[in-house]
Amino acid sequence: MVTLLGKTLTELQDVAISVGLPRYAGKQLAEWLYVKRVTDFSDMSNISLKGREKLAEQYAIGRTAPIAEAVSRDGTKKYLFKSENGEYIESVFIPEDDRATLCVSTQAGCKMGCRFCMTGTLGFHGQLTTADILNQVFSIPDSAALTNLVYMGEGEPCDNIDAVLRSVEVLSAAWGCGWSPKRITVSSVGYIPGVKRLLDECDCHVAISLHNPFAAERADIMPIEKVYPIEQVVSLLREYDWTHQRRISFEYICFGGQNDTMRHAQGLRHLLKGLDCRINLIRFHESPDNSTLAEFHSSTSEQMEWLRDYLTNIGITTTIRRSRGEDILAACGMLVNSLQQDKS
Ligand code: SF4
């Protein structure tokens, strides 16, 4: 069975022709999939009965409901999905006063091996398809409430860039969901080949996981630094215009004494000098059960506030991101579902 979710308008026109429907039925298919979001061919009422039957024989829509849900005391919800290839992955729905954000996974597990990240301890279990990514967006019960999407769940999005770009295209195309790309942020640890394509081939916001401005210290916690140094990533970012609609931000998890000192603040100042960007400081979530992360500790609130004020005073817009969903292991870097662990 070929999955339809994730196909472009042109591809859906070819699908229509393949089952004996006119080419224009491709547009109708796109509307059923991406606007009305039906989960069954029988609901596609403006497509002939024979056409629907033939579609059902050869194609799958690609929608599957989450198989489990956990709700935090702060309202954050974590959903567990099974991917097309049978891997277990998680998404996190984060409601706030004026927005509702979904954090989606792009890979099952991750191969980047960041030492502070629980997802990284899972290892890599495979790429998600475009359908897997879109299914997280469309199949959560809160889908209609979504205002924003961040690609910050399991995996390194720029290491699965074809599926990521295609999902962004479906979400933002006029024939697709029609979202503004400004509602979408794709994160990366700085996997340069994928970051370059992200910058060249779509208009969504970009967030780079920075966590330390010094190469040797960053390499110690993020192996990617040895292959694609953060200085090269920042040089690449400098080639693009960030003064208009598109936004570049840097994610910075604060580890007490390890990356939150005056020396680090000055390192950030030097690294990002002149770049129109913002920094999001993130509290590190100490994991109750994971001794492999025991060497990492969160900065104090006072130190994070000091770092925020220092960076803001030198002209870098800096915020402290509010922690969400910690009690259900849904916060940043905590996605490590037990079903996938059991398979590992
Ligand atoms: Fe992978 Fe992101 Fe975790 Fe690094 S922080 S191991 S890139 S999921």
Side-chain angles (χ1 to χ4, degrees), residues 74-77 92-103 140 142-152 179 181-185 205 247 249 251 278 280 319 321-322 324:
D74 67 18
T76 301
K77 296 179 190 168
V92 181
F93 174 74
I94 309 156
E96 292 170 279
D97 293 344
D98 56 345
R99 58 168 62 190
T101 303
L102 184 70
C103 177
I140 59 165
D142 328 86
S143 183
L146 287 177
T147 60
N148 294 76
L149 188 63
V150 294
Y151 289 67
M152 295 185 184
W179 283 27
K182 311 298 176 287
R183 293 167 65 181
I184 302 170
T185 302
H205 297 314
R247 196 168 62 220
S249 56
E251 308 295 298
R278 63 177 64 192
N280 294 316
T319 54
R321 197 194 292 156
R322 198 151 63 96
R324 298 292 302 264

Side-chain angles (χ1 to χ4, degrees), residues 118-140:
M118 284 172 68
T119 310
T121 64
L122 263 182
F124 179 66
H125 294 275
Q127 302 285 22
L128 298 192
T129 63
T130 307
D132 289 327
I133 297 171
L134 291 172
N135 185 55
Q136 296 169 68
V137 183
F138 293 174
S139 294
I140 59 165

Side-chain angles (χ1 to χ4, degrees), residues 21-202:
L21 290 167
R23 190 167 190 78
Y24 68 76
K27 182 106 191 331
Q28 294 171 320
L29 277 173
E31 191 169 0
W32 286 116
L33 290 171
Y34 303 134
V35 181
K36 297 179 177 141
R37 301 187 186 178
V38 298
T39 56
D40 200 305
F41 289 109
S42 62
D43 294 328
M44 299 181 174
S45 54
N46 62 357
I47 292 177
S48 69
L49 188 58
K50 199 164 162 220
R52 280 182 261 163
E53 283 170 359
K54 283 199 161 180
L55 283 167
E57 279 166 22
Q58 296 178 39
Y59 296 96
I61 287 183
R63 291 281 300 278
T64 55
I67 54 177
E69 173 185 340
V71 183
S72 162
R73 55 180 167 257
D74 67 18
T76 301
K77 296 179 190 168
K78 184 167 74 170
Y79 293 104
L80 180 68
F81 287 95
K82 195 167 187 179
S83 74
E84 289 198 294
N85 291 325
E87 306 296 343
Y88 296 99
I89 50 133
E90 293 179 329
S91 325
V92 181
F93 174 74
I94 309 156
E96 292 170 279
D97 293 344
D98 56 345
R99 58 168 62 190
T101 303
L102 184 70
C103 177
V104 291
S105 293
T106 53
Q107 298 177 316
C110 187
K111 44 175 120 146
M112 295 297 142
C114 303
R115 282 181 45 225
F116 50 81
C117 172
M118 284 172 68
T119 310
T121 64
L122 263 182
F124 179 66
H125 294 275
Q127 302 285 22
L128 298 192
T129 63
T130 307
D132 289 327
I133 297 171
L134 291 172
N135 185 55
Q136 296 169 68
V137 183
F138 293 174
S139 294
I140 59 165
D142 328 86
S143 183
L146 287 177
T147 60
N148 294 76
L149 188 63
V150 294
Y151 289 67
M152 295 185 184
E154 289 177 42
E156 160 56 34
C158 287
D159 185 39
N160 189 12
I161 194 67
D162 284 329
V164 166
L165 285 171
R166 187 177 264 261
S167 65
V168 171
E169 182 182 2
V170 168
L171 289 164
S172 54
W175 51 259
C177 300
W179 283 27
S180 162
K182 311 298 176 287
R183 293 167 65 181
I184 302 170
T185 302
V186 179
S187 77
S188 175
V189 285
Y191 184 79
I192 286 182
V195 173
K196 175 125 184 58
R197 288 195 53 201
L198 188 65
L199 295 169
D200 289 337
E201 296 177 36
C202 78

Side-chain angles (χ1 to χ4, degrees), residues 264-291:
H264 292 96
Q266 289 172 338
L268 288 170
R269 175 183 203 164
H270 179 72
L271 179 69
L272 303 178
K273 192 169 183 196
L275 184 64
D276 200 336
C277 64
R278 63 177 64 192
I279 295 180
N280 294 316
L281 302 180
I282 303 164
R283 186 175 308 284
F284 176 65
H285 304 286
E286 293 175 28
S287 148
D289 307 320
N290 200 323
S291 56

